[in-house]
Amino acid sequence: MSDQVPADASESAIRAIEASSLRQAPVPPVQDDGVRVFTIGTVLFALASLLLLVDGQRLSEAWWLDAAITGVGIGVVGIIYCVWRRNKRARDAEQGIAPPTA
């Protein structure tokens, strides 16, 4: 950092931001493929759908059931994708291909 006096307020603000820059903690990434998370969410949305089908007459808004069924659909797609990705990474590891870093 230089000892020069800033020319204006914006330059002073830029220097203050640069001096207090954030640093990422050296924490290793979580090794999870996402299947468990999607499965739990999908099961919860399925239970909500069943409850709304059985006892949804008391609700004045019909979109609750639509949202729950949509959650089940998105969850199924997410499970399929995560299983595909896990299997692809396992095949790539067998062939010596490095996993993506980002």
Side-chain angles (χ1 to χ4, degrees):
M1 183 155 294
S2 66
D3 293 332
Q4 297 175 347
V5 177
D8 58 7
S10 64
E11 186 178 334
S12 176
I14 291 171
R15 285 190 186 175
I17 290 171
E18 289 173 351
S20 67
S21 64
L22 301 175
R23 290 183 178 80
Q24 184 174 354
V27 179
V30 175
Q31 297 297 324
D32 189 22
D33 55 18
V35 175
R36 181 178 9 168
V37 173
F38 270 103
T39 302
I40 292 169
T42 303
V43 167
L44 290 175
F45 271 111
L47 288 174
S49 298
L50 290 175
L51 287 173
L52 289 168
L53 280 172
V54 170
D55 198 29
Q57 313 317 340
R58 291 192 287 171
L59 292 175
S60 61
E61 313 247 352
W63 64 269
W64 285 89
L65 180 60
D66 298 338
I69 293 172
T70 302
V72 172
I74 291 172
V76 169
V77 170
I79 291 169
I80 291 169
Y81 170 73
C82 288
V83 168
W84 171 83
R85 183 181 61 186
R86 178 180 62 192
N87 294 340
K88 180 170 182 348
R89 287 185 177 175
R91 284 190 310 269
D92 288 350
E94 289 174 0
Q95 296 173 358
I97 301 172
T101 57

